[in-house]
Every structure is written in structure tokens, then in C-alpha cells.
Amino acid sequence: MRIYAIGDVHGQLGMLRHAHRLIESDREATGDRTAPVMHLGDFNDRGPDTAGVLQALIDGIADGQPWLAIKGNHDRLFQEFLGSHDWEDPYLAGRLHWFDSNLGGDKTLESYGVRNVAWRPVVEVHREAVAAVPKAHRDFLDSLPLWHQTPELLFVHAGIRPGLPLEEQDEEDLIWIRDGFLDDDRDHGTLVVHGHTALQEATHFGNRIDLDTGAGYFRKLTAAVFEGRNCWTLGPEGRTPLLPPG
């Protein structure tokens, strides 16, 4: 089974379009136009055009593209803010607000025309945001599942709690986990493909593959293709094998 995957987008519409072009080139080379494309979450925040990213995904899916998407922690931050101005993410409670530049919610709202959010009452910003964000974008965020599984691969935004069956996994771990997952080298049964933790390059760790290469920090967005557990990253010259250590 062939399946494509794209790492954390973070409002980078130009990078997303480039990743889709690389995938289309690989599809032409293989003659396979039906293989799905998995997007690993974090569509919003930090980058300049969250609104454009969400609209591009919504339009592509509506046009029949075999695109799939899962929820990241930043997607939930955006979703929950639209639902309630005083909602606090359990992982961040008392530490950071979504508007903080480290998280980048201010850039997300700017893409919808809601500006100067750090200097205004949250209730006022929330009211303006609810009016500015199209219902289709809210519905898209609300519809995102937490994982997607094939016989060989598990696609999830951040990772899993090792040793727990998938149906017992906590949402907080699936969208936020680092400690206890990144440092665990046991076989998870299926190869876990994730983003969330930005690296300089896509990396195969043997039991997991991290495809977040820092688009949220204006580095690059990685597209990859999987055939079974075998993985290649995609570039202008085609495929480059992504190999496990050793």
C-alpha cells in the first residue's frame, strides 16, 4: 500500500502547495493517482496564512483529492478558542496563552483579519474571531480525527504512550507527548509516523518517523511517501530513501 504524508504546516500555504506538487510528480512517475495523502496536523499558528491553508485543504477534499488530515495540538487550540474565550488547554494551563507569539495564535487570527489581539480584551477578540472564521473552517477543525492507521503504519500528530492499546490512548498524549515517547525505543507494532517535534531533517528512528521539519519556524515542510514500512522523502529530483539507524 502506498500512502503519502506531509508534516506540520503551520500556516505556510506556499510550502503546502509545493509539497502537493512534489506528491503529484511522484504520482505521475508511479502512475498511481489514488494513493491517499495524510496531513499530520498543526495546520494553523505561527505562519502567515492559516485561513489559506484550511481553505486549500477543504477545497481539495471537496474536489475529490484523496487527502486525509489528523488533529494536532495547535488545531485544538484554535478549535477550542472559537468555542469559548476562556478555555484553557490542560497542557498549557497557567503557562502560555494561545495568543503568545511562541504558540502563534495571533498569526492565525491575523490571517482572518483579526488584529492586535495581544492588546485587546479576550472577549472582544473572541467575538470578532467567531464572526470572521468561516463555518466551513470550524467544521473542518471539528471533524479532524486523532489518528489514522494502516496495517503497517500509525499516523498521529505527536506520538503515543508506549505500551497502551490504541483505543486506550489519551488525547493529550496523541497531540502533545514528547517525554516517554521520543526516548522509547521499543517496537510499537506498527511504525509510528508523527510530527509535533521539529527537527532539521525528517528522521527515521527505527520504531517511529518524525516528519516535522520546522515549517512553523520558517524552515521547510517535508513530504514523504510510504510503501509498506519503507519511506522516501520527496524533493525536486524525486525520492530519497529515509532509512532507520544502523
Side-chain angles (χ1 to χ4, degrees):
M1 179 179 178
R2 179 180 294 117
I3 186 168
Y4 297 91
I6 296 174
D8 303 31
V9 180
H10 282 297
Q12 300 287 1
L13 179 59
M15 293 186 192
L16 178 61
R17 286 174 171 161
H18 178 66
H20 284 154
R21 287 194 294 269
L22 293 175
I23 289 171
E24 284 306 308
S25 294
D26 192 78
R27 281 176 163 171
E28 290 178 5
T30 61
D32 180 1
R33 294 191 170 275
T34 63
V37 181
M38 173 56 60
H39 300 78
L40 291 173
D42 277 8
F43 304 110
N44 51 278
D45 296 352
R46 298 187 182 132
D49 198 359
T50 287
V53 165
L54 294 188
Q55 192 62 51
L57 292 171
I58 291 166
D59 290 344
I61 293 168
D63 288 343
Q65 290 287 349
W67 292 353
L68 305 170
I70 56 178
K71 182 181 293 186
N73 55 313
H74 286 264
D75 307 311
R76 189 176 74 173
L77 288 168
F78 186 19
Q79 174 194 21
E80 295 292 351
F81 175 76
L82 292 172
S84 174
H85 74 274
D86 59 359
W87 182 84
E88 282 193 303
D89 189 286
Y91 185 83
L92 296 172
R95 294 190 292 141
L96 282 177
H97 192 277
W98 181 53
F99 294 171
D100 190 287
S101 60
N102 289 305
L103 292 173
D106 56 338
K107 297 301 182 185
T108 290
L109 294 183
E110 282 179 13
S111 76
Y112 292 95
V114 182
R115 307 189 185 281
N116 302 318
V117 300
W119 311 108
R120 297 162 55 196
V122 174
V123 173
E124 177 183 308
V125 173
H126 175 261
R127 183 170 57 248
E128 190 175 332
V130 168
V133 176
K135 182 179 184 297
H137 293 204
R138 296 187 66 175
D139 290 345
F140 177 79
L141 293 170
D142 291 342
S143 73
L144 294 174
L146 292 168
W147 72 76
H148 178 80
Q149 191 170 30
T150 73
E152 297 90 2
L153 308 170
L154 173 63
F155 295 94
V156 63
H157 176 65
I160 60 172
R161 182 65 60 183
L164 280 181
L166 187 55
E167 61 273 12
E168 296 179 18
Q169 294 285 332
D170 192 310
E171 178 173 322
E172 301 306 311
D173 287 331
L174 296 173
I175 65 174
W176 277 109
I177 196 169
R178 289 192 175 99
D179 294 342
F181 170 66
L182 300 181
D183 55 357
D184 191 294
D185 61 2
R186 79 185 78 175
D187 183 355
H188 301 306
T190 55
L191 182 65
V192 179
V193 183
H194 67 95
H196 185 58
T197 299
L199 305 176
Q200 293 296 325
E201 300 291 340
T203 304
H204 197 319
F205 292 90
N207 62 347
R208 64 183 179 88
I209 289 177
D210 187 342
L211 292 182
D212 183 359
T213 48
Y217 302 103
F218 293 82
R219 297 204 298 264
K220 65 180 179 180
L221 180 62
T222 290
V225 59
F226 293 84
E227 294 178 357
R229 291 173 68 108
N230 297 318
C231 179
W232 297 260
T233 57
L234 301 179
E237 305 304 318
R239 297 186 178 193
T240 299
L242 187 61
L243 302 175

